[in-house]
Amino acid sequence: MRRRRRFVSGIASTLAARKIAQEDGLRREQATRLARMAWKYSNGNSRGKKRRDGRDGISSPVFEDKPLGSPETVRYKRCFAILPMKRWTPFLLQSLVSIALLVWIFWKEDFRTQTWQILTSAHPGWLMAGFLVAGAGNLIGVIRWGIFLRVLGISISPWDTVRLSFVGLFFNTFLVGAVGGDAVKVVWVVAKGQPKTAALLSVLMDRMSGFGALILCSTLFMIWRLDWLMRSAVVAGLVKSVFAYLLLVVLLLGISFLLSARGLTRRLPKRFPFRKVIIEFTEAYLQFVLAWRQTLVASLLSILVLLAYFLTFYLSARAFGLDVPVVEFFALMPAVDIISALPISLGGFGVREQLFVTLLADLWEVPAAQAVSISLGGALLSMLWGLFGVVVLPGYQRAARRVLRR
């Protein structure tokens, strides 16, 4: 596991070094050397080694014609010095939030005892059903991403698409803080000889399709049972916050779409906030419009993926003895999903459990220990499928090294 973490850190350092090299206008050969140097540095092969030129482990042909005190040398030394901190600071902060919330929830010994009793008395049939539904949702997501790959002309076998998706799920689930599953997908697709721009765009379109389904389903479910949700002041406040968030997102997407339709995105000033993201969205919008039939199919699959996710938690609730109408349970899931997905905790742990405790207690007077068990059960049922990525992870490592040698 330690070797795998160093391997993932190398990918993050390499991508950052390549980005800086491109910004500085280095030639392709120089950028490649710098990326390899970043890989070695982040894996501990260059730390503490004094080179004859005195550059402390960052000696490279890139710097052969530059004096030690030049802005370029200082910039890259500073870059490699702060890369580990930039990589791990968000991870550490999110971990602290999750640990603090979980410790606060499980602080009392009688609460821990009650939770353990509920967890050990779960109905195995409902848990198995939830596990299978979570797997079905992941497989549908694989099919959706495969549609966007074909739209962009990327030729990858169905088996490679499946195993790459599960490797990405593994990275997202068990190696958070190092590199995301989306970056993993891009690296492997590029290793297969496909264009990097198309690989990035396929992942972006996949994410946008899923987010569109979340906006649509969340709005429909909450409006359907809005009168019931508004009975509790606490729940009503959360629902209003979710509606405000969704409205803001829709407005931002609408503005970016209008800029794209009028061809104004590339005219934005270079220092304009999120300029690069808006330009990427422009390419995605164009592909969505050109391949509207495939986009429609992918959107329907995105709805199925989201419903499978919600249903996994509902089946977890049934496994731990909570029998409530499925429509009402789906009406509160958008608030749980959207708030726990905010980058303030590690994988939503701690935040998700506290949300379930608050919502289920106010709406159905569910004991806190039972609510925490439902939350942990639903999350673990989804996470278990990420273990399948371990089986094909060595193949990904070989593919990533081929990319780095280019």
Side-chain angles (χ1 to χ4, degrees):
M1 181 62 71
R2 186 177 180 182
R3 289 181 62 190
R4 288 177 180 172
R5 286 188 180 274
R6 289 201 305 267
F7 171 77
V8 175
S9 299
I11 294 177
S13 298
T14 302
L15 294 176
R18 280 184 174 175
K19 180 179 179 181
I20 293 178
Q22 291 172 358
E23 290 176 354
D24 284 358
L26 296 181
R27 295 193 306 272
R28 181 180 178 85
E29 297 81 8
Q30 293 176 323
T32 302
R33 291 170 185 164
L34 183 65
R36 290 177 182 173
M37 179 180 60
W39 172 271
K40 292 180 180 179
Y41 183 89
S42 62
N43 279 275
N45 296 334
S46 303
R47 293 185 180 181
K49 293 183 179 179
K50 281 279 186 180
R51 303 294 297 251
R52 293 181 179 179
D53 53 10
R55 284 172 183 150
D56 297 337
I58 67 164
S59 177
S60 169
V62 175
F63 300 106
E64 285 179 354
D65 57 344
K66 300 183 185 301
L68 277 176
S70 68
E72 293 85 353
T73 304
V74 172
R75 173 176 174 152
Y76 285 110
K77 291 186 75 171
R78 190 174 299 164
C79 164
F80 293 132
I82 66 176
L83 269 177
M85 182 178 65
K86 280 188 174 182
R87 242 182 0 251
W88 292 107
T89 298
F91 170 76
L92 293 175
L93 293 176
Q94 292 170 354
S95 299
L96 288 175
V97 171
S98 292
I99 292 172
L101 288 173
L102 291 174
V103 168
W104 183 63
I105 292 173
F106 289 99
W107 183 257
K108 296 182 180 180
E109 184 177 356
D110 57 343
F111 182 83
R112 296 196 298 270
T113 303
Q114 294 174 12
T115 304
W116 177 251
Q117 290 175 351
I118 294 174
L119 288 173
T120 54
S121 62
H123 192 288
W126 289 114
L127 288 179
M128 179 56 66
F131 177 72
L132 294 177
V133 169
N138 286 319
L139 290 176
I140 295 172
V142 173
I143 297 173
R144 180 186 64 190
W145 185 47
I147 291 175
F148 291 124
L149 289 174
R150 290 192 295 273
V151 166
L152 296 168
I154 298 177
S155 178
I156 295 181
S157 68
W159 169 240
D160 281 341
T161 305
V162 171
R163 66 174 183 165
L164 177 52
S165 298
F166 279 97
V167 169
L169 180 62
F170 168 75
F171 272 71
N172 276 335
T173 303
F174 297 102
L175 293 179
V176 288
V179 65
D182 291 343
V184 169
K185 292 181 180 180
V186 171
V187 169
W188 199 338
V189 171
V190 174
K192 292 293 182 178
Q194 304 297 328
K196 180 180 177 181
T197 302
L200 289 168
L201 193 56
S202 71
V203 173
L204 177 61
M205 294 174 68
D206 188 63
R207 285 290 183 181
M208 291 177 66
S209 177
F211 196 69
L214 177 62
I215 294 174
L216 177 63
C217 292
S218 299
T219 304
L220 292 178
F221 283 136
M222 290 192 297
I223 290 178
W224 194 350
R225 299 296 296 157
L226 188 60
D227 55 340
W228 172 70
L229 292 171
M230 292 299 175
R231 293 178 182 177
S232 167
V234 176
V235 178
L238 289 175
V239 170
K240 291 177 181 178
S241 300
V242 171
F243 273 128
Y245 170 79
L246 294 176
L247 179 61
L248 177 62
V249 170
V250 171
L251 287 175
L252 292 176
L253 289 176
I255 293 173
S256 66
F257 181 78
L258 290 176
L259 291 175
S260 303
R262 295 180 177 275
L264 300 176
T265 52
R266 296 191 178 277
R267 298 182 184 179
L268 295 174
K270 291 186 176 181
R271 296 185 179 274
F272 190 84
F274 306 107
R275 179 180 182 272
K276 184 178 179 181
V277 176
I278 294 175
I279 292 176
E280 291 176 349
F281 273 36
T282 301
E283 301 294 334
Y285 290 140
L286 178 61
Q287 295 297 331
F288 281 139
V289 173
L290 293 177
W292 65 270
R293 291 185 179 86
Q294 294 89 333
T295 299
L296 180 60
V297 174
S299 300
L300 295 176
L301 293 179
S302 296
I303 294 175
L304 293 179
V305 171
L306 185 65
L307 293 178
Y309 179 76
F310 287 178
L311 185 58
T312 300
F313 279 88
Y314 176 76
L315 294 172
S316 174
R318 294 301 303 269
F320 294 111
L322 180 61
D323 187 5
V324 295
V326 64
V327 175
E328 293 183 354
F329 192 88
F330 279 20
L332 63 88
M333 276 302 298
V336 175
D337 187 31
I338 291 173
I339 296 176
S340 62
L342 297 176
I344 57 176
S345 64
L346 191 61
F349 281 103
V351 175
R352 187 189 301 108
E353 283 66 43
Q354 187 57 47
L355 286 170
F356 267 103
V357 169
T358 302
L359 293 172
L360 298 187
D362 281 12
L363 295 173
W364 292 305
E365 298 182 354
V366 176
Q370 187 179 7
V372 170
S373 301
I374 292 170
S375 176
L376 292 175
L380 292 176
L381 289 174
S382 300
M383 291 175 60
L384 286 175
W385 284 96
L387 294 175
F388 181 70
V390 178
V391 179
V392 293
L393 184 58
Y396 167 75
Q397 291 177 327
R398 290 191 295 270
R401 289 190 181 100
R402 286 198 298 271
V403 175
L404 296 174
R405 286 195 294 267
R406 293 181 179 178

